[in-house]
Amino acid sequence: MTQVEIGRGKSGRRAYALDEIGIVPSRRTRDPEEVSISWQIDAYRFDSPLVASPMDSVVSPQTAIEIGRLGGLGVLDLEGLWTRYEDPAPLLEEVATLDTAAATARLQEIYTAPIKDELIGRRIEEIRAAGVTTAVRLSPQRTVQHHKAVIDAGVDIFVIRGTTVSAEHVSGRAEPLNLKQFIYELDVPVIVGGCATYTAALHLMRTGAAGVLVGFGGGASHTTRNVLGVVVPMATAISDVAAARRDYMDESGGRYVHVVADGGMGGSGDIAKAIACGADAVMVGSPLARATEAPGRGFHWGSEAHHPELPRGKRVEFGTIGTLREILHGPSSLADGSMNLLGALRRTMATAGYSDLKEFQRVEVVVAPPQR
């Protein structure tokens, strides 16, 4: 891998964002209606590889149900408003009316309410009762405290998601979560992340996780790059983690760990390019925050936005453009890649000549400077 000299004492790899690469069609094309975009992790099969990000502005119990019925997977944030308040609707309405300058301070205040185990169980049961696959998220810091309530409620897929998650967290203040032991003792598939490097991903795969999240999440609403200076462009991060998946298969005798690209995908073209780089599925937030059913009412924020000591995100306004069904399956009334996300993925695969997602991961890509 080519190293670029930054200065006499430091060099680094050139890394690429999704908007810096392009997909190259092959010698054949296909009918979009004959392309399969189905995805399966463990025993759970989905009509599409789209996972809704666990953010209060995107996923409520009701939208998780609707996304499940539309063929995707909605992940409910168990550290969000739905497990802190019996009825968060008035607070969601308030957040949508806050002045920009006051938004972060008020979010910090709202999210100081304690998480209640009884609400965790109630929200999971609400989603399960609708007959869709139930997925929830906790951070590594809260997993030990609340995981029993999650398992007792009968969750299908457990997501352990943070800005950066490692298999070797070091702390002198508290006993860190032992991911390998924790995942081994669970009877449900676990998706864990984020990570952005080959080595970090390989270590997470060795914990027994069914899937690994690539990226730092948040996308359009996070400010991690500005606050911490931490960033790895997504095209490079996905490709590196996909290489770790390949090598872990050899190491483990064939065990396949799913790679889920998390964050930084604002439109349908980004989703296609993430899969072309090696992702099995994508976790998106901002495209779904524009749905009329989204609990954020056209505003979007993640858990980073209300950190009590060092916020690394912000509330952003997107407005609404259509229903969840229109955003996922169309028809689209816009030409910017923000609607009919899954129809666009089918057409990209058909144009490039591939019939399913695993085949499409082998498509040729080129470096293509983004259009301004």
Side-chain angles (χ1 to χ4, degrees):
M1 187 67 69
T2 303
Q3 294 283 316
V4 177
E5 185 178 284
I6 297 168
R8 287 177 182 251
K10 181 69 73 173
S11 62
R13 284 196 300 153
R14 171 68 167 93
Y16 296 94
L18 291 172
D19 64 357
E20 293 180 283
I21 68 166
I23 294 169
V24 180
S26 67
R27 62 182 176 84
R28 67 167 64 89
T29 56
R30 295 182 182 275
D31 186 333
E33 297 303 317
E34 297 176 3
V35 169
S36 170
I37 59 170
S38 63
W39 173 60
Q40 180 167 340
I41 182 168
D42 202 81
Y44 303 99
R45 184 177 179 84
F46 305 94
D47 291 338
S48 76
L50 187 136
V51 182
S53 184
M55 305 168 90
D56 277 348
S57 56
V58 176
V59 180
S60 64
Q62 191 55 48
T63 57
I65 292 168
E66 181 64 14
I67 290 165
R69 288 172 175 166
L70 291 171
L73 175 66
V75 183
L76 184 69
D77 184 9
L78 294 185
E79 297 176 29
L81 299 177
W82 304 96
T83 57
R84 298 174 190 263
Y85 298 92
E86 289 276 350
D87 180 15
L91 292 169
L92 290 164
E93 291 176 6
E94 179 189 350
V95 171
T97 63
L98 290 173
D99 180 75
T100 300
T104 297
R106 180 56 179 148
L107 284 171
Q108 289 175 310
E109 185 179 5
I110 289 171
Y111 282 89
T112 58
I115 298 168
K116 303 177 179 67
D117 280 353
E118 61 269 26
L119 285 179
I120 288 178
R122 192 184 308 171
R123 302 310 185 197
I124 292 173
E125 289 167 8
E126 187 178 339
I127 300 170
R128 281 181 58 84
V132 301
T133 302
T134 306
V136 297
R137 171 263 180 186
L138 284 171
S139 66
Q141 295 86 349
R142 304 265 193 179
T143 294
V144 173
Q145 181 181 357
H146 296 293
H147 79 276
K148 189 175 186 304
V150 174
I151 300 303
D152 289 348
V155 74
D156 296 316
I157 298 175
F158 198 159
V159 178
I160 301 175
R161 179 182 187 254
T163 302
T164 304
V165 177
S166 74
E168 299 180 16
H169 180 65
V170 178
S171 174
R173 296 183 301 165
E175 184 68 25
L177 173 65
N178 185 324
L179 274 174
K180 188 169 186 177
Q181 179 181 344
F182 178 79
I183 291 173
Y184 177 78
E185 293 174 353
L186 289 182
D187 291 329
V188 301
V190 176
I191 300 174
V192 63
C195 67
T197 67
Y198 172 95
T199 302
L202 193 58
H203 281 272
L204 287 178
M205 291 172 185
R206 289 170 178 161
T207 66
V212 170
L213 296 171
V214 186
F216 302 120
S221 66
H222 85 70
T223 58
T224 300
R225 179 173 186 165
N226 294 337
V227 176
L228 300 183
V230 174
V231 61
V232 180
M234 281 295 285
T236 295
I238 296 167
S239 300
D240 283 351
V241 175
R245 175 186 59 202
R246 177 199 62 211
D247 292 348
Y248 178 69
M249 282 187 67
D250 292 339
E251 172 188 306
S252 63
R255 184 172 181 272
Y256 190 91
V257 179
H258 293 265
V259 172
V260 182
D262 179 13
M265 286 162 288
S268 54
D270 294 328
I271 292 171
K273 287 188 279 188
I275 295 172
C277 286
D280 296 289
V282 296
M283 179 175 276
V284 299
S286 59
L288 304 182
R290 296 180 171 94
T292 53
E293 303 98 320
R297 295 161 173 78
F299 288 85
H300 186 44
W301 67 94
S303 58
E304 303 89 356
H306 53 78
H307 192 281
E309 299 172 0
L310 190 65
R312 301 179 302 281
K314 58 186 178 180
R315 186 205 63 166
V316 295
E317 183 176 5
F318 287 128
T320 56
I321 59 174
T323 65
L324 275 171
R325 178 175 291 277
E326 289 169 335
I327 289 172
L328 293 178
H329 297 289
S332 173
S333 57
L334 301 171
D336 59 2
S338 60
M339 299 182 75
N340 198 2
L341 302 178
L342 300 175
L345 176 59
R346 285 181 184 277
R347 189 163 294 275
T348 301
M349 292 170 60
T351 300
Y354 292 87
S355 60
D356 61 47
L357 295 173
K358 295 304 300 178
E359 281 191 359
F360 186 57
Q361 289 173 346
R362 301 196 295 268
V363 69
E364 181 184 355
V365 299
V366 295
V367 176
Q371 292 180 329
R372 301 300 182 189

